Amino acid sequence: MGELDLSENRFGRVAARKGQPLKLSILVPCYNEEESLPELFNLLEQVMAANGYDYEYIFVDDGSVDDTVAVLHGLRERSDKVNIISFRRNYGKSAALNVGFSAVSGDAVITMDADLQDDPAEIPNLLKRISEGADLVSGWKVDRKDPLNKTMPSKLFNAVTSKASGVKLHDFNCGLKAYRRNVVDTLNIYGELHRFIPALAAWEGFRVEEIGVRHHERKYGQSKYGARRFLNGFFDLMTVMFVTRRALNPLHLFGRLAVVLFSLGIIPQLYFFVQWIMGEGLRVRPIMLVGMVMIIVALQMISIGLLAELITSHSAGNSTYALREYSVRGTSRPPAALGDRATLD
């Protein structure tokens, strides 16, 4: 137990050689969870002891206003495996995950919520799929123990997100997930993009899978998420769609919009121009004004697309892909363009 083969993935990174113990990082964002944390910690300790993992805990307090921080320091006194990151105010789950990702030291990372609705006993099942070749395994709350006012909007959100992103998952926002280390090293989560982590990882070329997990009713407190998160979620989906599908060629998107607007705007102008050539007097008409507005907006779209292309080419050359890891096969040394970041098989 506790030995997983993480030596193969599509980026060629060696996370843990077969026969060596897995170093596991458990990342738990917390917000006003003083009652649930001791029980969650005990459940996690049971799973860690039963499977013999080498592990660490990273609890990220997201600006709690109850005694969550004091409880976490109490857990720290019980175990030196506990690491604590505390925000001065509430920044949101994405910020907590992003900071936590930068702090992990394990070969694999488990994320889960602190409210006891995620079952720590599912961790070995998630890691088994990682050892079989997945880069990210997302939980699917098959029998979700939440009221209808949460489950129904969530089903709609997941269906739309799956269709729009092309990633076939039933539950994008399940807090219980397992990652290879290089996945969390690659992702940059901000705003409220934690809902779209599987889509962002899939766009980066990682293998994303899903398994059914047990889900429990909330035992303490109440949900920290209001109805507005669903509306925000669809705005974030638009962000993800643009970032993932148009990040490298923004002019293609803005150019197509410009062509459509310019075509719709020029047609009435040509009609009135022909009428003028034939000797008919011109006068300002609403359709003429609408056409002119469309042409002006089309020119602005082209300008925005060109500016976006300049920004994209600059950032891609300096940071975005220069810092990616690649596997170079069949060569004696990495190409000069990749430098020391490349790895040889």
Side-chain angles (χ1 to χ4, degrees):
M1 301 297 290
E3 295 183 356
L4 297 177
D5 180 12
L6 300 181
S7 59
E8 292 295 331
N9 62 50
R10 65 190 62 206
F11 284 89
R13 174 168 179 159
V14 177
R17 292 298 183 186
K18 189 173 183 179
Q20 293 182 349
L22 170 72
K23 177 64 180 294
L24 184 61
S25 295
I26 312 294
L27 174 57
V28 185
C30 314
Y31 180 63
N32 294 345
E33 297 290 355
E34 59 179 345
E35 296 175 302
S36 63
L37 282 170
E39 187 172 340
L40 174 64
F41 179 75
N42 292 335
L43 293 172
L44 285 168
E45 285 287 83
Q46 293 173 16
V47 174
M48 296 300 105
N51 291 273
Y53 297 133
D54 179 17
Y55 64 96
E56 66 173 359
Y57 299 117
I58 297 182
F59 292 94
V60 182
D61 168 58
D62 189 18
S64 297
V65 295
D66 62 359
D67 289 331
T68 292
V69 175
V71 172
L72 290 175
H73 281 282
L75 298 179
R76 172 67 180 173
E77 293 177 0
R78 292 174 54 185
S79 172
D80 60 2
K81 300 286 189 180
V82 174
N83 301 279
I84 304 170
I85 299 172
S86 184
F87 294 165
R88 291 188 179 92
R89 66 172 180 85
N90 179 246
Y91 285 93
K93 189 173 182 179
S94 290
L97 288 175
N98 202 43
V99 172
F101 285 158
S102 67
V104 299
S105 62
D107 305 306
V109 179
I110 297 290
T111 59
M112 63 188 308
D113 294 334
D115 56 12
L116 294 175
Q117 291 193 272
D118 295 332
D119 194 334
E122 297 287 354
I123 290 176
N125 298 327
L126 294 168
L127 292 176
K128 183 175 184 295
R129 294 292 287 272
I130 292 290
S131 69
E132 293 171 349
D135 296 309
L136 187 158
V137 182
S138 183
W140 169 22
K141 302 182 288 284
V142 179
D143 184 18
R144 185 172 179 177
K145 306 297 185 181
D146 281 322
L148 285 177
N149 65 343
K150 290 185 65 176
T151 58
M152 296 307 294
S154 182
K155 286 183 179 180
L156 174 62
F157 172 79
N158 285 311
V160 172
T161 302
S162 179
K163 182 69 174 178
S165 67
V167 180
K168 305 304 180 183
L169 297 184
H170 296 86
D171 193 351
F172 281 80
N173 198 28
C174 179
L176 187 58
K177 292 181 174 68
Y179 311 73
R180 289 180 186 264
R181 172 65 179 279
N182 56 342
V183 178
V184 303
D185 286 344
T186 301
L187 297 178
N188 180 29
I189 310 301
Y190 60 91
E192 296 186 20
L193 295 187
H194 61 274
R195 301 185 184 99
F196 305 99
I197 285 178
L200 295 171
W203 179 71
E204 291 286 356
F206 293 111
R207 176 176 165 183
V208 177
E209 297 185 3
E210 181 181 58
I211 64 171
V213 295
R214 288 186 295 274
H215 190 246
H216 302 287
E217 294 183 2
R218 173 173 279 275
K219 191 172 182 179
Y220 304 105
Q222 58 185 0
S223 175
K224 311 301 189 299
Y225 301 101
R228 67 177 184 176
R229 74 188 181 110
F230 297 108
L231 180 61
N232 292 341
F234 285 107
F235 290 136
D236 290 332
L237 176 60
M238 295 174 62
T239 299
V240 171
M241 291 294 296
F242 184 82
V243 169
T244 58
R245 297 194 174 188
R246 297 299 176 195
L248 299 183
N249 50 7
L251 186 57
H252 290 188
L253 174 64
F254 289 108
R256 288 169 183 168
L257 292 174
V259 168
V260 172
L261 290 173
F262 185 83
S263 299
L264 293 175
I266 200 65
I267 290 174
Q269 311 308 320
L270 290 175
Y271 171 78
F272 291 120
F273 179 73
V274 172
Q275 294 293 313
W276 179 70
I277 291 294
M278 296 176 62
E280 185 174 331
L282 293 180
R283 65 181 184 273
V284 177
R285 303 179 186 179
I287 192 172
M288 181 185 296
L289 294 177
V290 171
M292 290 301 299
V293 170
M294 286 186 174
I295 292 174
I296 293 171
V297 172
L299 295 175
Q300 291 177 332
M301 285 285 185
I302 288 291
S303 299
I304 292 172
L306 289 172
L307 289 174
E309 286 284 344
L310 290 173
I311 295 171
T312 299
S313 62
H314 177 75
S315 61
N318 289 342
S319 60
T320 305
Y321 291 95
L323 298 180
R324 294 290 186 263
E325 293 184 353
Y326 295 84
S327 174
V328 183
R329 300 177 182 272
T331 61
S332 58
R333 58 188 177 87
L338 298 182
D340 295 335
R341 297 294 295 178
T343 58
L344 296 178
D345 289 348

